[in-house]
């Protein structure tokens, strides 16, 4: 038995046999990085597409949303920390095979709910990219659509496995400084490359930036962030979203509606499709 370096994300965890990575969702099994959360869902719900959020991808429809456990970031403000910062020993899971999810999405559509397909969301779906790929392929075969809601913090080897089957992605571009990404345990360059690759593949892309008071709420940072997005594709929608105290930021005030609207106005100097959220 040998140690390996997990190739899936920027962390490149060195794993001894049987050891899990920082994401809690991948393990060294027989010398391979294997996703241990395959099919183990913590959440399954029919959501409005706008909740993901998507503003310009089939508005007014619904999508079957599936989530597991695990994440490779450590955002102090995480809204889903009960599942993202845990594993199957600490949260209830139920196994759903890819075939079951694809069949359920089709049933929802045939029942007239307005369901257009499946969204992989709630935790970080790309740490278990194998389940996303296998399920999305079957959803496509049933004539339905796939969406991924992601932090964009995995490497090309994982992204390229799922891109052929994904129709839309909402990617968190959480800030635009190294210091901010250090605070949340991430890597800005990895996210930027993820966005470029997904956009170049023709996938519908929307981005979300959650505004944290005193952390990523300067006009200068929003200018740089928006200029980058415009350099990839000025038609990419950007959601500028208000934060509230959560998880380990309970002593931090909520972002003010005025600051969110101000930053949205800054972003509109570069991008035509900017959507303030959580106001």
């Amino acid at each position: 038995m040998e140690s390996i370096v997990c190739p899936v994300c920027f962390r490149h965890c060195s794993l001894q046999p049987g050891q899990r990575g920082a994401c809690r969702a991948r393990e060294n099994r027989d010398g391979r990085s294997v996703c241990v959360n395959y099919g183990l869902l913590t959440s399954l719900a029919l959501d409005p597409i706008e909740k993901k959020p998507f503003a310009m991808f089939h508005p007014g429809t619904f999508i079957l949303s599936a989530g597991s456990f695990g994440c490779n970031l450590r955002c102090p403000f995480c809204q889903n920390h009960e599942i993202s910062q845990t594993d199957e020993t600490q949260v209830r899971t139920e196994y759903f095979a890819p075939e079951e999810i694809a069949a359920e999405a089709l049933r929802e559509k045939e029942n007239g709910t307005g369901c257009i397909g499946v969204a992989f969301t709630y935790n970080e779906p790309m740490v278990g990219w194998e389940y996303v790929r296998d399920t999305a392929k079957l959803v496509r075969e049933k004539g339905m659509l796939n969406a991924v809601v992601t932090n964009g913090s995995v490497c090309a080897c994982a992204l390229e496995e799922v891109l052929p089957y994904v129709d839309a992605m909402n990617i968190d571009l959480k800030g635009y400084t190294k210091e901010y990404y250090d605070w949340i345990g991430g890597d800005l360059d990895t996210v930027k490359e993820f966005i470029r690759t997904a956009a170049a593949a023709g996938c519908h892309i929307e981005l979300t930036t959650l505004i944290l008071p005193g952390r990523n709420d300067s006009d200068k940072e929003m200018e740089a962030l928006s200029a980058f997005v415009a350099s990839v594709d000025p038609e990419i929608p950007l959601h500028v979203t208000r934060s509230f105290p959560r998880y380990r930021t309970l002593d931090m005030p909520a972002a003010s509606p005025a600051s969110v609207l101000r930053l949205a106005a800054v972003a509109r100097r570069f991008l035509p499709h900017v959507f303030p959220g959580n106001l």
Side-chain angles (χ1 to χ4, degrees):
M1 299 290 282
E2 59 180 344
S3 65
I4 63 169
V5 174
C6 181
V8 171
C9 87
F10 67 95
R11 289 183 178 273
H12 298 301
C13 294
S14 179
L15 304 177
Q16 297 299 316
Q19 183 181 3
R20 292 198 185 183
C23 65
R24 299 182 174 90
R26 304 199 70 85
E27 180 179 296
N28 178 353
R29 288 186 182 173
D30 300 321
R32 297 186 304 116
S33 173
V34 174
C35 71
V36 298
N37 66 352
Y38 190 100
L40 297 179
L41 300 192
T42 58
S43 307
L44 186 64
L46 189 66
D47 287 334
I49 196 73
E50 289 81 4
K51 185 179 177 181
K52 297 302 94 188
F54 286 105
M56 299 179 66
F57 182 73
H58 299 274
T61 62
F62 287 78
I63 196 160
L64 184 65
S65 299
S68 184
F69 60 83
C71 182
N72 56 341
L73 298 189
R74 295 291 179 266
C75 299
F77 47 83
C78 182
Q79 298 180 61
N80 292 323
H81 61 91
E82 297 92 347
I83 60 173
S84 71
Q85 305 300 313
T86 189
D87 61 31
E88 75 278 17
T89 68
Q90 300 167 295
V91 66
R92 180 182 176 274
T93 65
E94 186 172 347
Y95 180 77
F96 287 85
E99 294 82 0
E100 293 178 280
I101 296 299
E104 180 61 23
L106 185 59
R107 276 194 294 271
E108 290 286 357
K109 178 182 179 180
E110 292 175 343
N111 287 340
T113 62
C115 180
I116 61 170
V118 174
F120 303 89
T121 180
Y122 300 136
N123 72 309
E124 174 45 55
M126 290 299 293
V127 296
W129 61 263
E130 296 93 332
Y131 186 71
V132 176
R133 177 199 61 194
D134 296 350
T135 307
K137 184 177 180 180
L138 296 178
V139 172
R140 271 277 185 87
E141 289 174 359
K142 293 185 181 298
M144 304 186 76
L145 303 175
N146 294 294
V148 174
V149 181
T150 175
N151 61 32
S153 296
V154 300
C155 299
C157 63
L159 175 58
E160 290 169 359
E161 288 282 348
V162 305
L163 269 178
Y165 311 108
V166 174
D167 301 285
M169 286 192 171
N170 187 293
I171 305 166
D172 287 333
L173 183 52
K174 294 176 182 285
Y176 206 71
T177 64
K178 181 181 183 301
E179 293 74 19
Y180 190 83
Y181 267 87
D182 286 346
W183 181 54
I184 64 173
D187 181 73
L188 176 58
D189 288 340
T190 298
V191 181
K192 290 166 65 176
E193 187 58 29
F194 186 104
I195 292 168
R196 291 189 191 101
T197 302
C203 187
H204 176 87
I205 302 296
E206 301 197 19
L207 305 179
T208 298
T209 301
L210 185 71
I211 302 304
L212 275 291
R215 291 285 186 172
N216 64 348
D217 60 347
S218 72
D219 288 10
K220 180 180 179 182
E221 185 167 347
M222 182 54 73
E223 287 173 355
L225 185 154
S226 302
F228 161 72
V229 177
S231 75
V232 177
D233 182 350
E235 292 301 310
I236 292 176
L238 174 65
H239 299 260
V240 181
T241 306
R242 184 186 182 197
S243 67
F244 294 90
R246 292 288 189 273
Y247 192 29
R248 294 176 177 165
T249 61
L250 295 177
D251 58 346
M252 181 181 290
S256 71
S259 68
V260 171
L261 293 172
R262 185 192 82 246
L263 292 167
V266 171
R268 288 192 186 99
R269 300 175 194 165
F270 302 86
L271 302 166
H273 310 298
V274 179
F275 300 93
N278 282 354
L279 299 180

